[in-house]
Amino acid sequence: MTERSLLATGATGVRRSPLRGRYLARNPLLRAAMLASDLALAPLRLRRRSAPTTPRRVLLAIGGHLGDAVIATAAIGLLSEALPDAEIGVLVPRWSSAVLDGDPRIRHRHQVDHWFLDRGARSLPRRWWAYRISRRRALAEMRAVGYDAAVDLYDHFPNAALLLWRAGIPVRVGFDAAGFTPLYTHPVRWPDDDRHVAERQALLLRTLVPTMRARAVTASLPPAPADVAARVHRLLADAGVPRGKFIVLHPGAGAPVKEWPAEHWRRVAEGLSATGVTLVFTGQGPREHDVIRSVMAGLPRCVDLCDRLDWASLVQVIRLAQRVVSVDTVAAHVAGAVGTPATTLWTSPSDPHHWGPLGATSVILDAAAPDAVQRVLGAAR
């Protein structure tokens, strides 16, 4: 059994399904709400329409957070290859929008900030109000574009089924695992197997474009603009970082459950520092800043870039690194998308088959293994 499959099966050797009944949700109240939405909408179940042979305008609804948007670039690539003359639009939250900046394959962009996924410090009423405003604006924009079809790439709650229906898009494809299923014209059963989320999204796209060529799914991010590349070059040079001869350590994550103990990061940093390599730490926020400062304290050739990089600069730093060491967070997905070797410590309760970074140079290690530190050092040298 490979290390990746061991992570997926757990100690019993029995694969754990993320489905609870028919839905992708652990919370029983949320599952009940999903079921209620499907039962209430069942009388309105829409007649399946034939998808246009060559849709002129196709919308991809991208939910979740930064890592989800990076993964979704694989779907954008598949769709632009299958329909080279189509206008591609994306529906994406504000916090993930920067991932798609400068992507020449995207013609239209719409933003909806769902209150349920908003990690900001605003109160729930303020998040709800911001969601209502962004939804109203996005609906007007989507109706103005006049999409022929939409594919909802997000298979968890909150999906975009209701919004796509309200926008009047005639053909709507999405998975049946997050409620509001009757509002899709082409609901697709969520396959409970080991396929990566990007491969599942390709399944949705093939529902829309059956002639789509089968190939490996790969995420991709556009090259850095000249000003970003120059800015990052100056930043690294001023910090004394040898170009292309440094390792990025990204200890932070969007959720505390995904974090690895600071003492383990310290042992990794000590081991790598002893080899003479320069370590560049990336992250965001006071909490991650404190962890980074404690991990690198007293070690030579360590550079702290926490809170000093915007999205484009972070991508460029990772692109230039010789390796990235990270927990299950966006840095690992970026590394896969730009071709930088990555070592990912799997701290997430989700299945690495489904959510692991794409890319042949990605290594996933069990963060809970007793020898995890030694494995990270072995993979990074």
Side-chain angles (χ1 to χ4, degrees), residues 3 260-261 264 267-268 325 343-347 365-379:
E3 189 160 30
W260 205 38
H264 293 353
R267 289 169 57 197
V268 168
V325 182
T343 301
T344 304
L345 288 148
W346 201 258
T347 51
L365 301 177
D366 184 356
D371 60 346
V373 170
Q374 289 72 27
R375 290 187 180 226
V376 171
L377 294 174

Side-chain angles (χ1 to χ4, degrees), residues 69-370:
V70 175
I71 291 172
T73 62
I76 295 171
L78 289 173
L79 185 61
S80 62
E81 181 182 284
L83 300 173
D85 297 324
E87 296 179 10
I88 298 176
V90 294
L91 178 65
V92 64
R94 163 185 45 83
W95 45 83
S96 301
S97 184
V99 173
L100 306 176
D101 285 348
D103 193 322
R105 301 168 296 187
I106 297 172
R107 178 70 176 274
H108 309 283
R109 190 186 312 207
H110 318 284
Q111 178 181 305
V112 171
D113 303 331
H114 200 285
W115 61 270
F116 187 82
L117 296 173
D118 192 338
R119 292 174 175 170
R122 294 178 297 184
S123 65
L124 178 57
R126 288 182 178 274
R127 283 184 281 142
W128 171 259
W129 185 247
Y131 161 63
R132 298 284 296 184
I133 293 174
S134 65
R135 187 179 72 168
R136 186 182 306 117
R137 182 174 55 245
L139 276 171
E141 293 171 351
M142 291 187 290
R143 288 167 181 156
V145 172
Y147 288 103
D148 302 307
V151 179
D152 191 353
L153 299 178
Y154 199 55
D155 53 10
H156 286 66
F157 178 85
N159 60 27
L162 180 59
L163 198 62
L164 302 179
W165 175 69
R166 289 279 307 277
I169 301 173
V171 175
R172 302 178 297 280
V173 182
F175 283 122
D176 65 352
F180 297 96
T181 303
L183 296 182
Y184 294 126
T185 59
H186 293 64
V188 177
R189 177 60 58 87
W190 192 85
D192 191 10
D193 54 28
D194 286 339
R195 269 178 280 197
H196 192 277
V197 62
E199 296 171 327
R200 299 176 193 280
Q201 293 172 355
L203 176 64
L204 293 175
L205 294 177
R206 291 191 186 96
T207 301
L208 177 66
V209 189
T211 58
M212 180 177 293
R213 181 173 66 91
R215 67 167 177 83
V217 291
T218 55
S220 62
L221 294 171
D227 61 325
V228 173
R231 184 169 69 245
V232 169
H233 175 73
R234 289 194 301 270
L235 179 65
L236 294 177
D238 291 346
V241 178
R243 188 165 186 174
K245 296 182 179 179
F246 63 93
I247 293 177
V248 168
L249 298 187
H250 191 94
V257 70
K258 293 184 178 182
E259 294 181 354
W260 205 38
E263 55 268 27
H264 293 353
W265 282 110
R266 174 68 182 189
R267 289 169 57 197
V268 168
E270 289 173 342
L272 293 177
S273 180
T275 68
V277 70
T278 298
L279 304 180
V280 173
F281 290 82
T282 57
Q284 189 174 36
R287 190 158 168 271
E288 293 182 21
H289 177 76
D290 290 344
V291 170
I292 289 171
R293 298 302 294 178
S294 67
V295 169
M296 61 182 283
L299 295 178
R301 295 176 300 279
C302 289
V303 176
D304 180 8
L305 295 185
C306 184
D307 287 329
R308 298 181 63 188
L309 302 173
D310 59 16
W311 171 258
S313 299
L314 173 64
V315 172
Q316 182 65 2
V317 167
I318 291 175
R319 193 189 304 272
L320 297 176
Q322 64 187 75
R323 177 170 289 275
V324 171
V325 182
S326 171
V327 291
D328 171 31
T329 192
V330 69
H333 292 292
V334 170
V338 300
T340 298
T343 301
T344 304
L345 288 148
W346 201 258
T347 51
S348 173
S350 59
D351 190 330
H353 284 95
H354 299 164
W355 294 101
L358 295 169
T361 59
S362 177
V363 176
I364 298 177
L365 301 177
D366 184 356

Side-chain angles (χ1 to χ4, degrees), residues 21-36:
R22 57 181 290 186
Y23 298 112
L24 290 167
R26 294 187 179 90
N27 188 310
L29 294 178
L30 181 56
R31 291 199 303 273
M34 292 177 180
L35 177 60

